[in-house]
Amino acid sequence: MTRPAGDLAHIGHAELLTPTAEESLRFFVDLFGMEVEASEGQSVFLRGFGDYGRYSLKLTEAPLPGLGHVAIRAWDQASLERRVGAIEAGGRGEGWIDGDVGHGPAYRFTDPDGHRFELYYEQERYQPPPRLRPALKNVPQRFTGRGAAVKRLDHVNLLATDVAANRRFATEQLGYRLYERIELDDGSEAGAWLSLSIAAHELIYVADAHAAGGRLHHLAFWVDGRDELLRAADFLLDADVPIEAAPSKHAVANGYFLYVFEPGGNRVEVTSGGYFVYDPEFEPIVWTEAERARGQAWGVRTVESFHTYGTPDVSGKANGPPIPPTSAIPVRGRVLPDGVD
């Protein structure tokens, strides 16, 4: 495969828009276990206990849910300038901003689908207050164990009207490496899993069933193992969080998943597992339409809303989560006696 440009290191943070600012903030602090690092204007900046920077989630109040932007850190200033030059040559640049909380000047641009991105290099390293100071010097923050206790932002999944066009932009202009993709029987591309690192995915594009453009599928946050993911599922169930897809394993990228909705209506994932790519001659895995129709790795069928729902909703309204919590799902059919499964 083509060697990536190598100028960009990883996704540093993502901005999530929410029409229910207070409720969404409580969700990420109390239920996902994140820490508030800063507040500015209509935004709150939150971190997982493993983030080396000050934060990985910028939560911003807005009329509709969805993605504000994805921010990618470059390896150094020269690398940043090379990528900016490539983006400007392609005509997708919007220009420089002075920076944001915790990082220096950033260059704004959009992908072919209209999602907003930023590139930056200068970044403040997290300095924990005494109550969050860890015992070990090689971890950035003390583990609190609150809620799902997510460690860091893992990946961003974006809905696209043209997956192939966005995949080409990510590989050719940004230097992403393609690891897996889905090709339908008609030759169109339904999904692309890309990364700047050896991790199986960091940026994902999947086909938007409504061809709406510029929408978010989900943000995913990492925990260190399957047991922690299962613990998160029990905790979020008891907290009456709408669970879209209970824990299982993806076929693509081999990651373990738990999909839920935060109060603003955005889908968020708790994830772990996956694989690393060390092979310099790795060839992207191509999945056929028939192979993907089999479901997830263990045969679990993908729920319909996973293919059709994104934020903002195509209705143009802030409707909140598209499903109720498990405890509020209407009972259908006959009810079995107590003790009968």
Side-chain angles (χ1 to χ4, degrees):
M1 66 181 297
T2 303
R3 183 175 179 180
D7 287 332
L8 303 181
H10 68 106
I11 292 176
H13 66 267
E15 181 183 23
L16 192 67
L17 308 180
T18 175
T20 59
E22 292 186 8
E23 294 89 343
S24 294
L25 177 59
R26 287 199 297 270
F27 173 91
F28 285 106
V29 172
D30 297 339
L31 304 186
F32 263 33
M34 303 184 81
E35 298 290 334
V36 173
E37 171 59 15
S39 298
E40 186 176 90
Q42 299 300 108
S43 300
V44 180
F45 301 80
L46 300 118
R47 58 176 285 105
F49 72 92
D51 286 318
Y52 74 87
R54 289 180 60 185
Y55 61 92
S56 60
L57 175 64
K58 179 180 180 180
L59 187 65
T60 300
E61 185 174 9
L64 294 174
L67 180 76
H69 72 275
V70 177
I72 306 172
R73 192 180 187 198
W75 282 105
D76 52 36
Q77 188 63 32
S79 298
L80 173 60
E81 293 170 2
R82 277 194 297 271
R83 285 307 96 206
V84 168
I87 293 165
E88 288 183 332
R92 303 218 60 88
E94 293 187 348
W96 290 90
I97 62 170
D98 290 337
D100 205 341
V101 170
H103 72 78
Y107 185 80
R108 283 183 170 172
F109 64 97
T110 58
D111 65 13
D113 214 67
H115 302 98
R116 174 164 286 170
F117 285 77
E118 294 178 1
L119 299 183
Y120 69 98
Y121 167 61
E122 297 175 10
Q123 177 171 306
E124 296 177 26
R125 189 167 291 273
Y126 176 65
Q127 298 296 325
R131 70 179 182 86
L132 294 175
R133 194 166 296 148
L136 298 175
K137 63 192 300 184
N138 56 357
V139 294
Q141 179 198 301
R142 173 177 296 182
F143 175 75
T144 66
R146 185 175 64 251
V150 299
K151 189 172 187 178
R152 56 176 173 78
L153 178 68
D154 184 72
H155 63 266
V156 177
N157 187 315
L158 305 178
L159 292 169
T161 55
D162 187 338
V163 170
N166 287 278
R167 183 255 303 161
R168 287 193 295 269
F169 178 79
T171 55
E172 296 170 6
Q173 303 299 313
L174 304 181
Y176 272 87
R177 195 175 179 185
L178 174 67
Y179 286 153
E180 303 195 31
R181 67 185 185 90
I182 299 171
E183 184 174 311
L184 302 182
D185 294 344
D186 62 5
S188 63
E189 201 160 311
W193 283 255
L194 307 114
S195 186
L196 292 167
S197 69
I198 62 172
H201 57 1
E202 187 183 26
L203 174 64
I204 305 167
Y205 285 102
V206 294
D208 190 329
H210 300 282
R215 299 200 302 154
L216 173 69
H217 192 274
H218 70 269
L219 299 184
F221 295 85
W222 178 268
V223 293
D224 273 337
R226 287 183 294 182
D227 288 346
E228 291 188 37
L229 190 145
L230 295 174
R231 172 186 172 276
D234 280 338
F235 180 85
L236 296 173
L237 174 68
D238 282 339
D240 246 8
V241 171
I243 296 176
E244 180 185 35
S248 192
K249 181 179 179 179
H250 282 299
V252 179
N254 296 171
Y256 302 106
F257 63 79
L258 165 65
Y259 290 99
V260 303
F261 292 101
E262 58 86 27
N266 294 294
R267 178 189 288 109
V268 287
E269 179 188 8
V270 179
T271 187
S272 193
Y275 62 82
F276 296 132
V277 178
Y278 296 98
D279 183 0
E281 297 179 317
F282 181 87
E283 290 297 325
I285 305 299
V286 180
W287 297 86
T288 67
E289 188 171 333
E291 288 170 334
R292 291 305 304 124
R294 294 172 185 159
Q296 299 303 328
W298 298 330
V300 173
R301 309 303 300 176
T302 306
V303 296
E304 182 65 20
S305 58
F306 197 77
H307 295 300
T308 59
Y309 180 82
T311 47
D313 187 74
V314 290
S315 69
K317 299 178 181 179
N319 298 321
I323 61 171
T326 301
S327 63
I329 294 175
V331 176
R332 296 181 178 89
R334 67 189 184 93
V335 178
L336 297 177
D338 289 344
V340 179
D341 294 327

